[in-house]
């Protein structure tokens, strides 16, 4: 069996989970042995030496309980901060002269004789209470003068139960030392009965558990803080998800012109949440019928995560829709978005691509702000559209954005996405993988089938950020 010194040295090292488990098992065996020895001591109160021996056993068992709780926290983390000690705890007898900074408690003793009205304290108790060793020991009537006002009823109740009902004392209270410092004291004791059954004296052992309680309180507060942050993060995620779901289009399938006009675009989209984080990002996709018969297609991404970013995304998306309905062309629209990002309270960076499709001549006018260019698939092959000039939104004041135009044909497929879709891949290889889906797109019957194909290829990829994909298939 290791000595207390060797146990201290082992505990001073940062042990792994297996080492801590071994310490727990070893010390619990010691606790079992100590319980067995404690049972063998005489308990009739006739021998003062037996009383002190039992008190020391009980004190050691308390120390083992405390150490067990700390080892459990070390093994299992902060989730055990409020757990009760295990049924058979761990082991390390506490030396009476442990330093104030140690989790091992300093221990003192006292005895109050009611027949002679005398009190005797050990030197350690004087040290714990900060009293002058030359001063007389305080009587039980005087002892409450050292105790905090709110803890005095607790001490009075323990002492009364011991003297009147012959109950053992086992409880804690806080004392104020002459230097103003507050210490937490754990007191254990028993009454000594005379031949007539009356209480003749009371003895007790007292230990300074201030550091132990401070460490437990720190662990508990850290645990509470962790739970608070987790709840806050969960609430933030829920709000961001609800906001995102409220502003992203709920439609599925084909987009029709007003008054149930001819179908011009088969549309489908999908949003992929991040796989390695808990917060929602600022990605969006959108498709909107405009009053002149054109269709707005857009995807974008704001940097950051959480409710603030989701709120900014909703603001931008609302601005995109409003300006597009007013007839603003894609290049000018992005310039105005850039001004909006520059003016909001929480400046941010973002990327976007905006397309305006006119079904009468199948022309697509588009602009981009630091965003991956749309991919065009035709006759079983794919290519990336040549991007006009455009910097990230929010990167510089007064930025202007160029426009490009391309004529689409029936059966063409346009794919817009945010860069989170291909995160973890090189930009060239990611685009090549997307373009390599052209034969499967050609065989697909609907835009939704094409989105499913993209999800099969990229959906299982770990992503640190959200991603969106929007597919538009020209139907006429």
């Amino acid at each position: 069996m290791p000595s207390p010194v060797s146990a201290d040295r082992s505990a001073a090292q940062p042990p792994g989970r297996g080492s801590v488990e071994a310490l727990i098992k070893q010390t619990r065996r010691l606790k079992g042995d100590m319980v067995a020895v404690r049972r063998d001591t005489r308990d009739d109160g006739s021998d003062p030496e037996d009383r002190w021996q039992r008190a020391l056993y009980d004190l050691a068992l308390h120390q083992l309980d405390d150490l067990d709780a700390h080892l459990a926290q070390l093994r299992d983390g902060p989730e055990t901060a409020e757990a009760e000690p295990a049924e058979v705890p761990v082991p390390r007898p506490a030396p009476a002269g442990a330093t104030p900074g140690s989790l091992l408690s300093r221990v003192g003793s006292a005895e109050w004789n009611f027949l002679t009205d005398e009190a005797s304290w050990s030197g350690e108790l004087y040290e714990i209470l900060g009293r002058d060793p030359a001063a007389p020991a305080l009587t039980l009537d005087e002892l409450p003068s050292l105790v905090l006002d709110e803890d005095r009823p607790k001490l009075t109740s323990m002492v009364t139960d011991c003297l009147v009902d012959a109950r053992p004392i086992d409880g804690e209270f806080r004392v104020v030392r002459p230097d103003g410092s507050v210490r937490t004291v754990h007191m254990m004791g028993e009454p000594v009965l005379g031949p007539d059954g009356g209480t003749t004296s009371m003895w007790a052992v007292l230990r300074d558990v201030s550091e132990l309680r401070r460490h437990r309180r720190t662990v508990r507060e850290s645990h509470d803080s962790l739970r608070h942050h987790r709840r806050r993060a969960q609430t933030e995620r829920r709000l961001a998800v609800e906001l995102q779901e409220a502003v992203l289009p709920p439609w599925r399938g084909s987009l029709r012109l007003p008054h149930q006009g001819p179908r011009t675009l088969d549309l489908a989209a999908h949003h992929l949440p991040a796989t390695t984080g808990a917060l929602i990002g600022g990605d969006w996709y959108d498709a909107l019928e405009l009053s002149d018969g054109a269709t707005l297609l857009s995807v974008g991404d704001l940097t950051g995560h959480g409710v603030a970013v989701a709120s900014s995304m909703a603001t931008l998306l609302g601005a995109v829709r409003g300006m597009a309905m007013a007839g603003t062309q894609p290049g000018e629209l992005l310039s105005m978005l850039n001004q909006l990002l520059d003016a909001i309270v929480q400046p941010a960076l973002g990327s976007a691509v905006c397309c305006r499709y006119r079904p009468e001549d199948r022309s697509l006018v588009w602009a981009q702000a630091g965003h991956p260019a749309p991919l065009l698939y035709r006759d079983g092959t794919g290519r990336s559209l040549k991007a006009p000039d455009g910097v990230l939104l929010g990167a510089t004041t007064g930025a202007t954005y160029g426009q490009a135009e391309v004529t689409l044909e029936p059966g063409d497929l346009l794919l817009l996405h945010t860069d989170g879709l291909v995160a973890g891949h090189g930009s060239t290889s990611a685009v090549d993988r997307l373009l390599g889906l052209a034969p499967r797109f050609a065989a697909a019957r609907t835009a939704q089938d094409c989105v499913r194909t993209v999800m099969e290829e990229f959906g299982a990829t770990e992503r640190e950020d959200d991603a969106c994909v929007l597919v538009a298939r020209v139907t006429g």
Side-chain angles (χ1 to χ4, degrees), residues 213-256:
R213 297 299 174 254
R214 184 180 66 81
H215 280 266
R216 282 189 175 179
R217 185 168 59 252
T218 300
V219 172
R220 184 173 61 253
E221 289 171 354
S222 299
H223 186 212
D224 291 343
S225 177
L226 178 61
R227 288 193 300 183
H228 171 74
H229 285 297
R230 284 176 177 171
R231 286 195 298 267
R232 181 176 178 179
Q234 290 169 353
T235 300
E236 234 187 83
R237 177 178 174 81
R238 177 178 54 80
L239 291 175
V241 168
E242 291 176 355
L243 181 59
Q244 189 180 63
E245 291 176 347
V247 298
L248 294 184
W251 50 260
R252 292 292 183 271
S254 300
L255 181 71
R256 294 180 182 274

Side-chain angles (χ1 to χ4, degrees), residues 295-364:
T295 300
L296 171 74
L297 304 174
S298 70
V299 297
D301 178 19
L302 282 182
T303 57
H305 299 85
V307 174
V309 172
S311 177
S312 297
M313 177 270 289
T315 300
L316 284 190
L317 186 52
V320 168
R321 291 168 175 171
M323 288 186 286
M325 290 297 291
T328 307
Q329 294 298 306
E332 184 182 2
L333 189 153
L334 290 180
S335 295
M336 300 176 93
L337 282 187
N338 184 64
Q339 294 179 36
L340 179 61
L341 266 186
D342 194 40
I344 61 177
V345 176
Q346 294 181 325
L349 290 175
S351 68
V353 59
C354 290
C355 308
R356 189 181 183 92
Y357 175 70
R358 294 194 306 173
E360 59 268 24
D361 59 2
R362 292 191 293 274
S363 64
L364 183 80

Side-chain angles (χ1 to χ4, degrees), residues 45-164:
S46 59
D47 190 340
E49 185 65 28
D50 287 341
R51 289 203 309 270
W52 289 111
Q53 189 176 22
R54 288 198 313 276
L56 291 176
Y57 280 132
D58 291 340
L59 183 61
L61 293 176
H62 271 276
Q63 296 278 22
L64 298 183
D65 287 342
D66 291 336
L67 183 56
D68 179 60
H70 281 280
L71 284 176
Q73 291 169 16
L74 181 62
R75 178 191 62 190
D76 301 330
E79 295 300 328
T80 63
E82 296 179 355
E84 293 295 327
E87 182 178 353
V88 185
V90 254
R92 192 166 62 205
T99 60
S102 169
L103 293 182
L104 297 176
S105 309
R106 291 181 297 169
V107 179
S109 61
E111 185 165 6
W112 291 274
N113 190 310
F114 304 124
L115 299 180
T116 63
D117 201 25
E118 293 177 339
S120 62
W121 288 3
S122 68
E124 291 84 357
L125 183 55
Y126 278 97
E127 185 180 352
I128 291 173
L129 301 180
R131 304 282 295 178
D132 182 359
L138 298 183
T139 66
L140 282 178
D141 290 334
E142 297 169 330
L143 184 62
S145 65
L146 305 180
V147 180
L148 284 179
D149 291 345
E150 53 265 40
D151 288 359
R152 287 177 185 173
K154 185 188 305 182
L155 174 63
T156 300
S157 176
M158 289 191 299
V159 171
T160 300
D161 288 344
C162 181
L163 299 182
V164 176

